Amino acid sequence: MHTDDVIRFNTYVPPIDLTFNQYLLLSDEFTLLIHTGNMKIGQGLLADVQKHLNGRTLDGIFISHFESDECGSIALFTNAYPEVVVY
């Protein structure tokens, strides 16, 4: 895997002066999203992920822990990709 195979999405939240990141890892064998972001950014993130997948399926979603900024929009992704495995 090369750095070109890792896409970073980020959202800056001014009131708390913090940036939240999600990552899409692309390889020939597997596609993996790390974090889904919260519901506020979910629709836009899903559209961006679909653009980068370019018709490929999303194989996995990795959630490091259960807070809204890591998994708040998980339902959007599991609805769009019903076969995705959530880790």
Side-chain angles (χ1 to χ4, degrees):
M1 184 171 284
H2 303 282
T3 56
D4 293 343
D5 302 326
V6 179
I7 296 120
R8 181 177 72 136
F9 307 96
N10 62 21
T11 305
Y12 177 66
V13 182
I16 59 174
D17 192 30
L18 195 60
T19 301
F20 295 99
N21 298 288
Q22 300 81 39
Y23 299 89
L24 179 63
L25 284 65
L26 303 170
S27 76
D28 292 336
E29 298 84 30
F30 197 76
T31 59
L32 178 72
L33 179 65
I34 300 174
H35 298 157
T36 66
N38 62 27
M39 282 299 289
K40 189 178 260 188
I41 68 161
Q43 283 295 118
L45 179 64
L46 176 59
D48 288 341
V49 166
Q50 289 173 326
K51 179 180 141 196
H52 285 285
L53 288 175
N54 195 28
R56 294 175 64 186
T57 190
L58 182 61
D59 299 310
I61 299 172
F62 175 77
I63 304 297
S64 64
H65 60 283
F66 292 96
E67 291 181 354
S68 66
D69 54 305
E70 281 75 35
C71 63
S73 62
I74 197 164
L76 294 173
F77 287 87
T78 56
N79 287 335
Y81 299 98
E83 301 299 319
V84 71
V85 176
V86 179
Y87 301 94

